[in-house]
Amino acid sequence: MDVIVQAAALLADPYVILVMVAASIYGLAVGSVPGLTATMAVALIIPITFFMDPIPALAAVMSLSAMAIFAGDLPGALLRIPGTPASAAYADEAYAMTRKGQAGLALGVGLVCSSIGGLVGAVVLIAAAPWLARIALQFSSYEKFWLACLGLLAAIAVSQRSWMKGFLSLLLGLTIAQIGLDPVSGLMRFTFGFSDLAGGLGFIPVLIGFFAVPELLRYALGRGPTPTVKSQPARRLFSGVGRELVRQRGGIARGSVIGTVIGSIPGAGADIAAYVSYAVARRLSPRRDRFGTGVPDGIASASAANNSSIGGALVPATVFGIPGDSLTAIIIGVLFLKGLNPGPTVFLVNPELITAVFLAFLLANVMIVPFGFAAIAGFQYVLRVPRSVLMPVILGFCMVGAFAVENTVFAILTMAAMGLVAFVLEENDYPLAPAILGLVIGPMLEENLLLSLTRARGNLFAFVERPVSMGLAIVVIGLCLVPLALFLARRLRHSDGRS
Amino acid sequence: MRWLRHTRATGIGFILLGLVVLALSLGLEGPRHMAYGPGLFPSALGILMALAGLVVALSRNSGAPEASVDPEPAADAPPSDSQPSRDRIAAFAVFAIAPFVFAFVLPILGFLIATPVLIAILAMVSGARWPTAVATGVVSTVLLQTIFQQVMRVPLPWGLLERYAGVLTWM
């Protein structure tokens, strides 16, 4: 309890609150522009947070993550253009309500449910993370190795279209992470004599390149969705929302739980949480036949899951240093930058700092309601900024941001090259999230693999001798074998059907 | 840009990259006292990448990928699979090359000259009229300079304006 009081005192600084307010406005503005994701918003703000103290920097990242995720609902509901991939799960439903003249109800329900979901995720985070950290302290390099494998596997598992492409994306990320100093021997690898490569490719330039540049290139080609501004003011925003919330209380609770659980699985994230929650709501709703025609049932459950998943994803991110999705991968990067190295020891060394970060997330989810109300009113003005003005400014921000962090033009080259690679990969349906997870987890995986091999003198059975490592190994191997078995069974059924 | 959408080519690219990583990793020698040197992990990655690339290159659906499931585009947006116009391809080329050019000219011209010019050019190829493009370049440069150099104290290159640095530092 003392830790929470100390953490709250750290947050009570007017400068921190001011930074949170500014980050919230920025998150709402970016999240509400179609094509600009919460991940991209966080990637773009990192160069600024780089120069801040840890608490305001992390509070800014937390606020803007929560706001940007919610803000994705705005263009989804009013224009049927989801601002974030997670919002796509219920954009059709919300847009159908807008066409029925219920835009205010759709957005109001989404707004309050996002807040409730986020609060549930934050409470779970504050309650469970330190408890899990105590267990995680018992982990040796063997358990950490399997845990890293688990994170990487989950990243591939969510590559819905082709897990092989997800695997290749992951390998690309792991390979990029090999450039620079070897974490165990300290020798140079793949630097080709260039001093700029000695420290490896900068994490932030790579991130900006992966997420922002392909979006800009698609815009240049005329591929991105071009929003048309329609005058659809969300008047009487909260009319009927209270009644609907009471009616949807079960769905909101279910969505919050689903979001927290899915978010806490490394490699999952808000997108999957929202889709799963919407699917479950549809299956369990007495009005399931009317889904898709504009009913708030799916919106309530899915938007709660959307925001609660962030809190869930922060559990493995802070306790084990394993990101739940690309957004938390960036948040882990910020934690590292600020000296709060994710892992169980952070709860011993810096308990008040990490708790302050969690409280900032809690506070951000309270702030969503008033800020969201204002955002809905001002949303049309954001979309009225011509893209021919907005996109060049974003590219300028990306280039200067990449330069600022590394203080070398090589960072701009890294960003540009990675952006082109990411563009080609996305054109061919390769998911990018596994590459980012590979980049983050790569050094941890290699270090624990080599340490374990050295300790065990090459005896591979040592990897499964401890009970926890054996349990994790079973999960990892099971996750590898079950899809393979299902694939073979499907092939057999298919060939039987033919014969 | 349909030529970019060819999964088999990406599979072959990954095979080549995997083989290069493997070859370079095998050449890495660790300290004598270490049983597992710096080449072990990347060589495993190289092998896996080459094999996975082979699977993708040989898979039956390794031609052009399916059209992405984007949200329904606006009525005036071109269909995602249609060939972009020459103007669009030119805009794509400018957006793709701009960061490389910026990295080259930034130390020479300096931030305050390179940035507004580049952003104005980008705005013009995006379809903005020249007064709007110039205003966008100037305003965004002032904004970026204020955020990064004046507030965050990031040393952005002065280039040709080095001798006026004292005058141009306004905060």
Side-chain angles (χ1 to χ4, degrees), chain B residues 82-169:
Chain B
S82 67
Q83 280 297 89
S85 64
R86 279 187 186 177
D87 287 351
R88 285 297 186 184
I89 293 174
F92 173 84
V94 172
F95 268 79
I97 294 167
F100 294 101
V101 175
F102 188 69
F104 179 71
V105 300
L106 186 63
I108 302 165
L109 297 180
F111 175 80
L112 286 179
I113 296 175
T115 310
V117 171
L118 198 78
I119 290 180
I121 291 171
L122 288 168
M124 283 179 76
V125 298
S126 300
R129 291 182 179 180
W130 74 264
T132 311
V134 170
T136 304
V138 172
V139 172
S140 55
T141 302
V142 171
L143 186 72
L144 287 166
Q145 161 89 351
T146 306
I147 293 172
F148 284 99
Q149 184 146 7
Q150 313 293 345
V151 178
M152 301 299 174
R153 305 292 174 199
V154 176
L156 297 172
W158 288 104
L160 296 176
L161 298 175
E162 184 97 49
R163 68 171 69 173
Y164 307 107
V167 182
L168 293 167
T169 305

Side-chain angles (χ1 to χ4, degrees), chain A residues 220-261:
Chain A
L221 277 177
R223 291 259 188 80
T226 310
T228 49
V229 181
K230 298 174 185 173
S231 284
Q232 297 186 47
R235 285 180 190 158
R236 291 185 292 129
L237 185 66
F238 290 107
S239 165
V241 169
R243 197 172 52 246
E244 201 57 53
L245 287 171
V246 173
R247 213 169 62 76
Q248 302 293 342
R249 58 188 182 280
I252 298 168
R254 192 174 55 238
S256 302
V257 172
I258 289 173
T260 308
V261 171

Side-chain angles (χ1 to χ4, degrees), chain A residues 52-114:
Chain A
M52 292 178 180
D53 289 334
I55 292 295
L58 289 159
V61 170
M62 292 295 161
S63 316
L64 107 79
S65 305
M67 296 290 172
I69 290 273
F70 157 70
D73 294 359
L74 298 175
L78 293 178
L79 304 169
R80 205 189 171 212
I81 305 170
T84 58
S87 304
Y90 47 94
D92 273 345
E93 199 71 60
Y95 187 66
M97 288 184 71
T98 299
R99 282 187 300 184
K100 290 199 295 188
Q102 297 176 330
L105 183 62
L107 285 167
V109 167
L111 172 63
V112 180
C113 291
S114 292

Side-chain angles (χ1 to χ4, degrees), chain A residues 393-484:
Chain A
V393 174
I394 288 176
L395 185 57
F397 205 102
C398 292
M399 292 187 296
V400 180
F403 174 85
V405 171
E406 302 277 317
N407 207 14
T408 164
V409 290
F410 186 74
I412 304 173
L413 296 174
T414 301
M415 179 207 82
M418 287 298 131
L420 290 176
V421 169
F423 177 77
V424 174
L425 290 178
E426 282 201 320
E427 283 292 291
N428 289 284
D429 290 343
Y430 284 86
L432 295 180
I436 294 299
L437 297 183
L439 189 60
V440 171
I441 298 181
M444 173 189 171
L445 180 71
E446 183 183 9
E447 191 176 342
N448 285 301
L449 172 69
L450 296 186
L451 281 177
S452 302
L453 279 172
T454 307
R455 282 173 61 188
R457 296 176 188 274
N459 176 20
L460 293 178
F461 287 107
F463 281 76
V464 290
E465 276 175 354
R466 292 160 59 98
V468 180
S469 64
M470 181 185 276
L472 286 168
I474 289 169
V475 173
V476 169
I477 294 165
L479 279 173
C480 288
L481 294 181
V482 167
L484 189 68

